[in-house]
Amino acid sequence: MIQLWLNLPSHLKFVPTGYQDLRAGRQAMHTEPGVLVQVISGKTGAVRGPAVNQWPILGAVITLDPRTEYRQVIDGAERAFAYVIAGRLAIGGRSVGTGQTAWSDPVSGQGDATTLNLATGDGDERTTVLLFAGRPIGESVVASGPFVMNTRAEIEQAYRDFHSGKFGSIPRRTRLPAGA
């Protein structure tokens, strides 16, 4: 299971809460020789992921066969991270392996396209990488418990809203049976 919480710009902080259960194998798929891209959010190739977001992001799980290369185009104003779930690859000229994360900084503020190159080495193992990219928000961040806001006063309001029931009902049990 992968769980990702996203920060939002201040004008979107108080949108209604939501949860999306995006099960493995139900994402949009993009394939190339030796490459499988499970698109969670945003667009890759001709496919768009099923996630509905308040702030645009690209999210994908990419599986590469040995000695394979994949190029992902992103907006040049976006910041990206690639977390290697299994295997080893070179991204942006740096080698990263299982459990490691590679970050990119925006290459321009103009939104020009840039390409992230992911390439596996000469080994015999498949590589799986989680790739996310989005435009930096550029606002102050205050975090406390499950809340991320821009000011301490907003954090306090979020706790008041939570305790007064304004976040809606909270399930007492998961809907999945144990071991599923």
Side-chain angles (χ1 to χ4, degrees), residues 133-171:
R135 189 177 292 258
I137 296 170
E139 296 177 352
S140 63
V141 175
V142 177
S144 177
F147 302 112
V148 178
M149 296 292 182
N150 297 96
T151 67
R152 185 74 200 153
E154 289 174 344
I155 290 285
E156 292 167 4
Q157 182 64 50
Y159 273 106
R160 283 192 299 274
D161 290 349
F162 174 75
H163 289 295
S164 69
K166 290 183 181 177
F167 278 25
S169 64
I170 299 171

mmCIF file of all heavy atoms in Angstrom, residues 133-171:
data_model
loop_
_atom_site.group_PDB
_atom_site.id
_atom_site.type_symbol
_atom_site.label_atom_id
_atom_site.label_comp_id
_atom_site.label_asym_id
_atom_site.label_seq_id
_atom_site.Cartn_x
_atom_site.Cartn_y
_atom_site.Cartn_z
ATOM 1 N N ALA A 133 5.343 14.180 -9.713
ATOM 2 C CA ALA A 133 5.817 15.506 -10.092
ATOM 3 C C ALA A 133 4.674 16.504 -9.981
ATOM 4 O O ALA A 133 3.517 16.173 -10.255
ATOM 5 C CB ALA A 133 6.354 15.497 -11.526
ATOM 6 N N GLY A 134 5.003 17.717 -9.564
ATOM 7 C CA GLY A 134 4.012 18.779 -9.463
ATOM 8 C C GLY A 134 4.696 20.119 -9.301
ATOM 9 O O GLY A 134 5.861 20.203 -8.936
ATOM 10 N N ARG A 135 3.941 21.160 -9.554
ATOM 11 C CA ARG A 135 4.457 22.522 -9.440
ATOM 12 C C ARG A 135 4.560 22.906 -7.961
ATOM 13 O O ARG A 135 3.586 22.755 -7.222
ATOM 14 C CB ARG A 135 3.521 23.477 -10.167
ATOM 15 C CG ARG A 135 4.040 24.889 -10.315
ATOM 16 C CD ARG A 135 3.073 25.721 -11.116
ATOM 17 N NE ARG A 135 3.022 25.264 -12.497
ATOM 18 C CZ ARG A 135 3.635 25.872 -13.504
ATOM 19 N NH1 ARG A 135 4.330 26.962 -13.282
ATOM 20 N NH2 ARG A 135 3.540 25.404 -14.722
ATOM 21 N N PRO A 136 5.718 23.382 -7.514
ATOM 22 C CA PRO A 136 5.842 23.819 -6.119
ATOM 23 C C PRO A 136 4.847 24.938 -5.813
ATOM 24 O O PRO A 136 4.579 25.793 -6.650
ATOM 25 C CB PRO A 136 7.276 24.327 -6.016
ATOM 26 C CG PRO A 136 8.004 23.651 -7.129
ATOM 27 C CD PRO A 136 6.988 23.508 -8.230
ATOM 28 N N ILE A 137 4.305 24.906 -4.608
ATOM 29 C CA ILE A 137 3.306 25.893 -4.208
ATOM 30 C C ILE A 137 3.973 27.196 -3.770
ATOM 31 O O ILE A 137 3.472 28.278 -4.037
ATOM 32 C CB ILE A 137 2.407 25.313 -3.098
ATOM 33 C CG1 ILE A 137 1.619 24.125 -3.668
ATOM 34 C CG2 ILE A 137 1.462 26.363 -2.547
ATOM 35 C CD1 ILE A 137 0.889 23.308 -2.637
ATOM 36 N N GLY A 138 5.098 27.105 -3.073
ATOM 37 C CA GLY A 138 5.840 28.303 -2.684
ATOM 38 C C GLY A 138 5.195 29.098 -1.561
ATOM 39 O O GLY A 138 5.300 30.322 -1.537
ATOM 40 N N GLU A 139 4.519 28.416 -0.634
ATOM 41 C CA GLU A 139 3.896 29.086 0.497
ATOM 42 C C GLU A 139 4.446 28.503 1.800
ATOM 43 O O GLU A 139 4.992 27.399 1.805
ATOM 44 C CB GLU A 139 2.373 28.898 0.464
ATOM 45 C CG GLU A 139 1.716 29.524 -0.738
ATOM 46 C CD GLU A 139 0.217 29.263 -0.795
ATOM 47 O OE1 GLU A 139 -0.326 28.465 0.013
ATOM 48 O OE2 GLU A 139 -0.424 29.865 -1.655
ATOM 49 N N SER A 140 4.264 29.241 2.895
ATOM 50 C CA SER A 140 4.721 28.743 4.184
ATOM 51 C C SER A 140 3.942 27.479 4.545
ATOM 52 O O SER A 140 2.809 27.283 4.108
ATOM 53 C CB SER A 140 4.538 29.803 5.270
ATOM 54 O OG SER A 140 3.162 30.104 5.423
ATOM 55 N N VAL A 141 4.577 26.613 5.347
ATOM 56 C CA VAL A 141 3.976 25.345 5.743
ATOM 57 C C VAL A 141 4.073 25.211 7.261
ATOM 58 O O VAL A 141 5.141 25.381 7.838
ATOM 59 C CB VAL A 141 4.698 24.150 5.074
ATOM 60 C CG1 VAL A 141 4.156 22.828 5.588
ATOM 61 C CG2 VAL A 141 4.576 24.230 3.567
ATOM 62 N N VAL A 142 2.924 24.899 7.880
ATOM 63 C CA VAL A 142 2.873 24.577 9.299
ATOM 64 C C VAL A 142 2.159 23.241 9.401
ATOM 65 O O VAL A 142 1.046 23.091 8.886
ATOM 66 C CB VAL A 142 2.120 25.655 10.110
ATOM 67 C CG1 VAL A 142 2.021 25.250 11.575
ATOM 68 C CG2 VAL A 142 2.790 27.013 9.970
ATOM 69 N N ALA A 143 2.803 22.271 10.028
ATOM 70 C CA ALA A 143 2.217 20.936 10.151
ATOM 71 C C ALA A 143 2.041 20.579 11.613
ATOM 72 O O ALA A 143 2.871 20.928 12.456
ATOM 73 C CB ALA A 143 3.119 19.913 9.468
ATOM 74 N N SER A 144 0.940 19.872 11.894
ATOM 75 C CA SER A 144 0.691 19.372 13.239
ATOM 76 C C SER A 144 -0.235 18.173 13.117
ATOM 77 O O SER A 144 -1.350 18.293 12.607
ATOM 78 C CB SER A 144 0.045 20.442 14.113
ATOM 79 O OG SER A 144 -0.255 19.918 15.398
ATOM 80 N N GLY A 145 0.259 17.011 13.575
ATOM 81 C CA GLY A 145 -0.544 15.800 13.441
ATOM 82 C C GLY A 145 -0.867 15.552 11.974
ATOM 83 O O GLY A 145 0.012 15.644 11.121
ATOM 84 N N PRO A 146 -2.134 15.309 11.663
ATOM 85 C CA PRO A 146 -2.495 15.011 10.274
ATOM 86 C C PRO A 146 -2.726 16.254 9.419
ATOM 87 O O PRO A 146 -3.051 16.140 8.242
ATOM 88 C CB PRO A 146 -3.806 14.228 10.433
ATOM 89 C CG PRO A 146 -4.427 14.814 11.662
ATOM 90 C CD PRO A 146 -3.261 15.128 12.580
ATOM 91 N N PHE A 147 -2.557 17.438 9.982
ATOM 92 C CA PHE A 147 -2.907 18.660 9.262
ATOM 93 C C PHE A 147 -1.679 19.411 8.757
ATOM 94 O O PHE A 147 -0.665 19.504 9.441
ATOM 95 C CB PHE A 147 -3.732 19.591 10.161
ATOM 96 C CG PHE A 147 -4.995 18.945 10.659
ATOM 97 C CD1 PHE A 147 -5.146 18.649 11.996
ATOM 98 C CD2 PHE A 147 -6.009 18.608 9.780
ATOM 99 C CE1 PHE A 147 -6.293 18.037 12.466
ATOM 100 C CE2 PHE A 147 -7.165 17.991 10.231
ATOM 101 C CZ PHE A 147 -7.308 17.705 11.577
ATOM 102 N N VAL A 148 -1.811 19.952 7.566
ATOM 103 C CA VAL A 148 -0.787 20.810 6.976
ATOM 104 C C VAL A 148 -1.492 22.075 6.516
ATOM 105 O O VAL A 148 -2.392 22.028 5.667
ATOM 106 C CB VAL A 148 -0.079 20.128 5.784
ATOM 107 C CG1 VAL A 148 0.941 21.072 5.168
ATOM 108 C CG2 VAL A 148 0.578 18.835 6.218
ATOM 109 N N MET A 149 -1.107 23.199 7.083
ATOM 110 C CA MET A 149 -1.724 24.483 6.762
ATOM 111 C C MET A 149 -0.616 25.503 6.523
ATOM 112 O O MET A 149 0.550 25.156 6.475
ATOM 113 C CB MET A 149 -2.650 24.931 7.911
ATOM 114 C CG MET A 149 -3.832 24.022 8.141
ATOM 115 S SD MET A 149 -4.954 24.125 6.732
ATOM 116 C CE MET A 149 -6.252 23.042 7.259
ATOM 117 N N ASN A 150 -1.017 26.769 6.396
ATOM 118 C CA ASN A 150 -0.049 27.835 6.169
ATOM 119 C C ASN A 150 0.278 28.625 7.430
ATOM 120 O O ASN A 150 1.307 29.282 7.490
ATOM 121 C CB ASN A 150 -0.546 28.798 5.090
ATOM 122 C CG ASN A 150 -0.701 28.102 3.754
ATOM 123 O OD1 ASN A 150 -1.781 27.678 3.409
ATOM 124 N ND2 ASN A 150 0.385 27.954 3.020
ATOM 125 N N THR A 151 -0.612 28.580 8.426
ATOM 126 C CA THR A 151 -0.388 29.330 9.663
ATOM 127 C C THR A 151 -0.793 28.477 10.861
ATOM 128 O O THR A 151 -1.560 27.520 10.735
ATOM 129 C CB THR A 151 -1.219 30.636 9.698
ATOM 130 O OG1 THR A 151 -2.612 30.294 9.774
ATOM 131 C CG2 THR A 151 -0.945 31.520 8.482
ATOM 132 N N ARG A 152 -0.324 28.844 12.029
ATOM 133 C CA ARG A 152 -0.709 28.159 13.266
ATOM 134 C C ARG A 152 -2.209 28.315 13.510
ATOM 135 O O ARG A 152 -2.876 27.389 13.963
ATOM 136 C CB ARG A 152 0.122 28.720 14.436
ATOM 137 C CG ARG A 152 -0.101 28.007 15.728
ATOM 138 C CD ARG A 152 0.574 26.647 15.704
ATOM 139 N NE ARG A 152 -0.040 25.803 16.718
ATOM 140 C CZ ARG A 152 -0.100 24.507 16.671
ATOM 141 N NH1 ARG A 152 0.460 23.857 15.678
ATOM 142 N NH2 ARG A 152 -0.689 23.811 17.595
ATOM 143 N N ALA A 153 -2.755 29.496 13.200
ATOM 144 C CA ALA A 153 -4.193 29.730 13.394
ATOM 145 C C ALA A 153 -5.016 28.764 12.523
ATOM 146 O O ALA A 153 -6.061 28.271 12.965
ATOM 147 C CB ALA A 153 -4.546 31.182 13.056
ATOM 148 N N GLU A 154 -4.571 28.476 11.316
ATOM 149 C CA GLU A 154 -5.281 27.530 10.449
ATOM 150 C C GLU A 154 -5.207 26.111 11.012
ATOM 151 O O GLU A 154 -6.176 25.347 10.919
ATOM 152 C CB GLU A 154 -4.715 27.576 9.029
ATOM 153 C CG GLU A 154 -5.045 28.841 8.283
ATOM 154 C CD GLU A 154 -4.347 28.938 6.933
ATOM 155 O OE1 GLU A 154 -3.381 28.185 6.680
ATOM 156 O OE2 GLU A 154 -4.759 29.800 6.142
ATOM 157 N N ILE A 155 -4.080 25.752 11.611
ATOM 158 C CA ILE A 155 -3.951 24.434 12.257
ATOM 159 C C ILE A 155 -4.963 24.329 13.394
ATOM 160 O O ILE A 155 -5.678 23.325 13.523
ATOM 161 C CB ILE A 155 -2.517 24.210 12.783
ATOM 162 C CG1 ILE A 155 -1.533 24.031 11.623
ATOM 163 C CG2 ILE A 155 -2.458 23.048 13.772
ATOM 164 C CD1 ILE A 155 -1.617 22.694 10.932
ATOM 165 N N GLU A 156 -5.046 25.357 14.220
ATOM 166 C CA GLU A 156 -5.984 25.343 15.343
ATOM 167 C C GLU A 156 -7.424 25.235 14.849
ATOM 168 O O GLU A 156 -8.236 24.505 15.428
ATOM 169 C CB GLU A 156 -5.763 26.580 16.208
ATOM 170 C CG GLU A 156 -4.426 26.537 16.936
ATOM 171 C CD GLU A 156 -4.018 27.864 17.554
ATOM 172 O OE1 GLU A 156 -4.810 28.839 17.491
ATOM 173 O OE2 GLU A 156 -2.904 27.923 18.104
ATOM 174 N N GLN A 157 -7.761 25.930 13.751
ATOM 175 C CA GLN A 157 -9.098 25.846 13.167
ATOM 176 C C GLN A 157 -9.371 24.431 12.645
ATOM 177 O O GLN A 157 -10.459 23.889 12.822
ATOM 178 C CB GLN A 157 -9.274 26.862 12.040
ATOM 179 C CG GLN A 157 -10.660 26.846 11.419
ATOM 180 C CD GLN A 157 -11.738 27.251 12.414
ATOM 181 O OE1 GLN A 157 -11.626 28.270 13.077
ATOM 182 N NE2 GLN A 157 -12.786 26.435 12.534
ATOM 183 N N ALA A 158 -8.378 23.818 12.027
ATOM 184 C CA ALA A 158 -8.545 22.451 11.518
ATOM 185 C C ALA A 158 -8.842 21.489 12.660
ATOM 186 O O ALA A 158 -9.724 20.623 12.532
ATOM 187 C CB ALA A 158 -7.299 22.015 10.750
ATOM 188 N N TYR A 159 -8.144 21.626 13.794
ATOM 189 C CA TYR A 159 -8.426 20.770 14.941
ATOM 190 C C TYR A 159 -9.840 21.019 15.480
ATOM 191 O O TYR A 159 -10.559 20.073 15.810
ATOM 192 C CB TYR A 159 -7.393 20.971 16.063
ATOM 193 C CG TYR A 159 -6.171 20.103 15.886
ATOM 194 C CD1 TYR A 159 -4.967 20.645 15.461
ATOM 195 C CD2 TYR A 159 -6.229 18.745 16.158
ATOM 196 C CE1 TYR A 159 -3.846 19.847 15.302
ATOM 197 C CE2 TYR A 159 -5.117 17.931 16.006
ATOM 198 C CZ TYR A 159 -3.918 18.499 15.577
ATOM 199 O OH TYR A 159 -2.816 17.699 15.408
ATOM 200 N N ARG A 160 -10.261 22.293 15.546
ATOM 201 C CA ARG A 160 -11.631 22.589 16.004
ATOM 202 C C ARG A 160 -12.650 21.957 15.060
ATOM 203 O O ARG A 160 -13.629 21.351 15.497
ATOM 204 C CB ARG A 160 -11.845 24.103 16.106
ATOM 205 C CG ARG A 160 -11.209 24.739 17.334
ATOM 206 C CD ARG A 160 -11.685 26.162 17.561
ATOM 207 N NE ARG A 160 -11.359 27.062 16.468
ATOM 208 C CZ ARG A 160 -10.200 27.719 16.329
ATOM 209 N NH1 ARG A 160 -9.245 27.561 17.237
ATOM 210 N NH2 ARG A 160 -9.996 28.515 15.304
ATOM 211 N N ASP A 161 -12.427 22.102 13.753
ATOM 212 C CA ASP A 161 -13.347 21.526 12.767
ATOM 213 C C ASP A 161 -13.402 20.011 12.896
ATOM 214 O O ASP A 161 -14.478 19.409 12.847
ATOM 215 C CB ASP A 161 -12.927 21.904 11.347
ATOM 216 C CG ASP A 161 -13.140 23.378 11.033
ATOM 217 O OD1 ASP A 161 -13.801 24.076 11.827
ATOM 218 O OD2 ASP A 161 -12.636 23.828 9.987
ATOM 219 N N PHE A 162 -12.252 19.387 13.063
ATOM 220 C CA PHE A 162 -12.200 17.938 13.202
ATOM 221 C C PHE A 162 -12.993 17.476 14.435
ATOM 222 O O PHE A 162 -13.829 16.583 14.358
ATOM 223 C CB PHE A 162 -10.744 17.463 13.287
ATOM 224 C CG PHE A 162 -10.607 15.996 13.577
ATOM 225 C CD1 PHE A 162 -10.855 15.061 12.586
ATOM 226 C CD2 PHE A 162 -10.253 15.561 14.843
ATOM 227 C CE1 PHE A 162 -10.740 13.702 12.848
ATOM 228 C CE2 PHE A 162 -10.138 14.199 15.115
ATOM 229 C CZ PHE A 162 -10.383 13.274 14.116
ATOM 230 N N HIS A 163 -12.736 18.107 15.580
ATOM 231 C CA HIS A 163 -13.383 17.689 16.823
ATOM 232 C C HIS A 163 -14.876 18.019 16.847
ATOM 233 O O HIS A 163 -15.630 17.374 17.578
ATOM 234 C CB HIS A 163 -12.664 18.280 18.034
ATOM 235 C CG HIS A 163 -11.316 17.658 18.258
ATOM 236 N ND1 HIS A 163 -11.153 16.336 18.605
ATOM 237 C CD2 HIS A 163 -10.066 18.173 18.172
ATOM 238 C CE1 HIS A 163 -9.875 16.058 18.725
ATOM 239 N NE2 HIS A 163 -9.186 17.148 18.452
ATOM 240 N N SER A 164 -15.312 18.974 16.050
ATOM 241 C CA SER A 164 -16.748 19.310 16.022
ATOM 242 C C SER A 164 -17.501 18.504 14.964
ATOM 243 O O SER A 164 -18.703 18.690 14.787
ATOM 244 C CB SER A 164 -16.937 20.810 15.773
ATOM 245 O OG SER A 164 -16.545 21.138 14.440
ATOM 246 N N GLY A 165 -16.806 17.616 14.255
ATOM 247 C CA GLY A 165 -17.474 16.748 13.288
ATOM 248 C C GLY A 165 -17.610 17.318 11.888
ATOM 249 O O GLY A 165 -18.264 16.725 11.030
ATOM 250 N N LYS A 166 -16.980 18.439 11.600
ATOM 251 C CA LYS A 166 -17.101 19.057 10.272
ATOM 252 C C LYS A 166 -16.349 18.305 9.177
ATOM 253 O O LYS A 166 -16.486 18.630 8.018
ATOM 254 C CB LYS A 166 -16.630 20.511 10.319
ATOM 255 C CG LYS A 166 -17.559 21.407 11.098
ATOM 256 C CD LYS A 166 -17.094 22.845 11.044
ATOM 257 C CE LYS A 166 -18.029 23.732 11.842
ATOM 258 N NZ LYS A 166 -17.546 25.117 11.860
ATOM 259 N N PHE A 167 -15.560 17.298 9.548
ATOM 260 C CA PHE A 167 -14.833 16.513 8.545
ATOM 261 C C PHE A 167 -15.656 15.331 8.055
ATOM 262 O O PHE A 167 -15.193 14.542 7.251
ATOM 263 C CB PHE A 167 -13.520 16.004 9.128
ATOM 264 C CG PHE A 167 -12.404 17.001 9.108
ATOM 265 C CD1 PHE A 167 -12.635 18.359 9.103
ATOM 266 C CD2 PHE A 167 -11.087 16.573 9.096
ATOM 267 C CE1 PHE A 167 -11.602 19.262 9.099
ATOM 268 C CE2 PHE A 167 -10.046 17.470 9.091
ATOM 269 C CZ PHE A 167 -10.301 18.821 9.094
ATOM 270 N N GLY A 168 -16.860 15.177 8.568
ATOM 271 C CA GLY A 168 -17.698 14.047 8.171
ATOM 272 C C GLY A 168 -17.432 12.863 9.074
ATOM 273 O O GLY A 168 -16.674 12.932 10.039
ATOM 274 N N SER A 169 -18.087 11.745 8.749
ATOM 275 C CA SER A 169 -17.929 10.560 9.587
ATOM 276 C C SER A 169 -16.599 9.880 9.293
ATOM 277 O O SER A 169 -16.095 9.932 8.173
ATOM 278 C CB SER A 169 -19.081 9.582 9.356
ATOM 279 O OG SER A 169 -19.043 9.124 8.022
ATOM 280 N N ILE A 170 -16.056 9.245 10.299
ATOM 281 C CA ILE A 170 -14.791 8.522 10.180
ATOM 282 C C ILE A 170 -15.100 7.046 10.364
ATOM 283 O O ILE A 170 -15.672 6.654 11.389
ATOM 284 C CB ILE A 170 -13.773 9.011 11.225
ATOM 285 C CG1 ILE A 170 -13.493 10.496 10.997
ATOM 286 C CG2 ILE A 170 -12.507 8.180 11.180
ATOM 287 C CD1 ILE A 170 -12.690 11.147 12.078
ATOM 288 N N PRO A 171 -14.784 6.211 9.379
ATOM 289 C CA PRO A 171 -15.099 4.788 9.505
ATOM 290 C C PRO A 171 -14.407 4.152 10.702
ATOM 291 O O PRO A 171 -13.252 4.462 10.983
ATOM 292 C CB PRO A 171 -14.588 4.180 8.209
ATOM 293 C CG PRO A 171 -14.095 5.277 7.363
ATOM 294 C CD PRO A 171 -14.082 6.532 8.166
#
